């Protein structure tokens, strides 16, 4: 990656690249409760449930990676043939999860390696990924999860939620008026309270609300896939009730007082445990 050409975004498909992305970019950027395990991360890519794109920094004198387009989760390489992974170090990545039934694409992770933040890498990565997914998948909406800055403090290790919210807002992000929290990554796993669920792209960019039906399908599918079942607890019921109507309001990022907060108590801080084996 040369300063003159700017960041080049390429699909990340090899186990080596995906492991680099997880260990060098995602792990330093997210608290453990927000990350799936490395084995699950690799397995979900192999099964086509996740797709990652990234910025790869190559050694001086090496050929830069080619800017291949993203084909979308589950679709293999853009040209239908196994892709040769460009040599170099993965310095940034974005991970998308596609719900074909809901026609919703969730950006599960977007991060830049420590020491490489700034210089437009995040903007280039997000722009390239969303553009490719819109072209190849034609989703009803592209979503992202962001920590609520009123409930999550900034840290040197995991960044500043307020700055992250401003970043997404600059790129068209708006907040869904739902009391969102991140589901646990497995039965009994810790959930993450007080997150914001944002739209990064919608079918009608001028609309002030979005259809609720795709969100209902997406949320049910996401929570069951993550936690193993759909919990019957107050926070989950409140979240599903917020998408029970025909449409869900979109709120500007600077008006968070209009967005209900997905808080959790001691009884709901973890996903329901898996049923005991008989």
């Amino acid at each position: 990656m040369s300063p003159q050409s700017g960041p080049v975004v390429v699909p990340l498909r090899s186990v080596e690249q995906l492991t680099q992305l997880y260990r060098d970019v995602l792990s330093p950027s997210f608290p453990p409760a927000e990350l799936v395990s490395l084995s699950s991360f690799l397995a979900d890519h192999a099964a086509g449930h996740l797709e990652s794109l990234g910025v790869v920094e190559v050694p001086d004198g090496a050929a830069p990676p080619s800017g291949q387009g993203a084909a979308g989760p589950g679709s293999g390489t853009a040209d239908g043939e196994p892709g040769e992974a460009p040599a170099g170090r993965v310095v940034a990545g974005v991970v998308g999860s596609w719900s074909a039934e809901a026609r919703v694409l969730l950006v599960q992770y977007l991060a830049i390696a420590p020491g490489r933040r700034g210089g437009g890498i995040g903007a280039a990565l997000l722009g390239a990924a969303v553009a490719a997914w819109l072209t190849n998948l034609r989703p009803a909406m592209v979503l992202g999860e962001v920590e609520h800055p009123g409930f999550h403090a900034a840290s040197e290790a995991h960044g500043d939620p307020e700055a992250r919210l401003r970043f997404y807002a600059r790129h068209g992000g708006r907040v869904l008026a739902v009391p969102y929290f991140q589901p646990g990554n497995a039965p009994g796993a810790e959930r993450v309270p007080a997150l914001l669920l944002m739209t990064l792209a919608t079918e009608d960019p001028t609309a002030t609300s979005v259809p609720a039906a795709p969100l209902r399908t997406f949320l049910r599918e996401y929570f069951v896939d993550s936690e193993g079942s759909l919990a019957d607890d107050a926070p989950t019921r409140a979240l599903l009730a917020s998408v029970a109507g025909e449409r869900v309001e979109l709120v500007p990022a600077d008006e968070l007082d209009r967005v209900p907060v997905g808080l959790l108590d001691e009884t709901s801080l973890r996903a329901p445990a898996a049923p005991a084996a008989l």
Side-chain angles (χ1 to χ4, degrees):
M1 183 177 69
S2 67
Q4 290 78 16
S5 61
V8 177
V9 178
V10 297
L12 303 178
R13 297 194 175 108
S14 72
V15 171
E16 179 183 2
Q17 285 182 321
L18 293 171
T19 301
Q20 276 188 32
L21 170 62
Y22 187 95
R23 290 180 174 167
D24 298 344
V25 180
L26 300 182
S27 290
S29 302
F30 292 94
E34 296 184 22
L35 273 177
V36 299
S37 67
L38 174 59
S39 59
S40 295
F41 185 72
L42 295 176
D44 283 343
H45 277 83
H49 299 151
L50 297 178
E51 174 169 293
S52 291
L53 292 86
V55 175
V56 178
E57 186 178 63
V58 298
D60 291 341
S66 61
Q68 306 171 60
S75 59
T77 60
D79 57 6
E81 298 295 333
E84 182 178 349
R89 175 186 171 220
V90 178
V91 298
V94 59
V95 183
S97 173
W98 171 239
S99 168
E101 183 179 356
R103 292 184 55 239
V104 170
L105 188 293
L106 174 66
V107 176
Q108 287 197 328
Y109 306 111
L110 171 67
I112 302 167
R116 295 310 313 268
R117 293 165 185 163
I121 293 178
L125 185 57
L126 180 64
V130 170
W133 287 326
L134 288 176
T135 298
N136 293 302
L137 298 173
R138 307 186 76 82
M141 61 191 80
V142 177
L143 303 179
E145 300 168 316
V146 184
E147 293 171 330
H148 193 307
F151 296 85
H152 294 271
S155 71
E156 184 176 349
H158 301 135
D160 183 354
E162 191 167 348
R164 192 173 296 120
L165 182 62
R166 290 197 303 268
F167 168 80
Y168 282 120
R170 286 196 303 271
H171 293 87
R174 290 178 291 173
V175 183
L176 287 157
V178 300
Y180 186 68
F181 60 94
Q182 183 178 299
N185 290 321
E190 185 178 352
R191 294 164 161 175
V192 184
L195 292 194
L196 301 170
L197 190 62
M198 302 187 72
T199 61
L200 306 179
T202 60
E203 289 184 303
D204 181 0
T206 65
T208 58
S209 64
V210 293
L215 287 171
R216 283 196 297 272
T217 301
F218 160 74
L219 287 171
R220 288 178 176 273
E221 181 181 288
Y222 184 30
F223 273 65
V224 170
D225 287 349
S226 299
E227 299 189 343
S229 63
L230 191 63
D232 184 20
D233 54 34
T236 305
R237 289 195 299 269
L239 177 59
L240 294 178
S242 70
V243 297
E246 292 188 6
R247 300 188 70 84
V248 177
E249 183 184 7
L250 294 172
V251 178
D254 59 356
E255 298 180 20
L256 295 186
D257 57 325
R258 296 169 50 196
V259 179
V261 182
L263 297 177
L264 305 172
D265 60 20
E266 291 185 2
T267 66
S268 57
L269 189 56
R270 290 186 174 274
L278 298 177

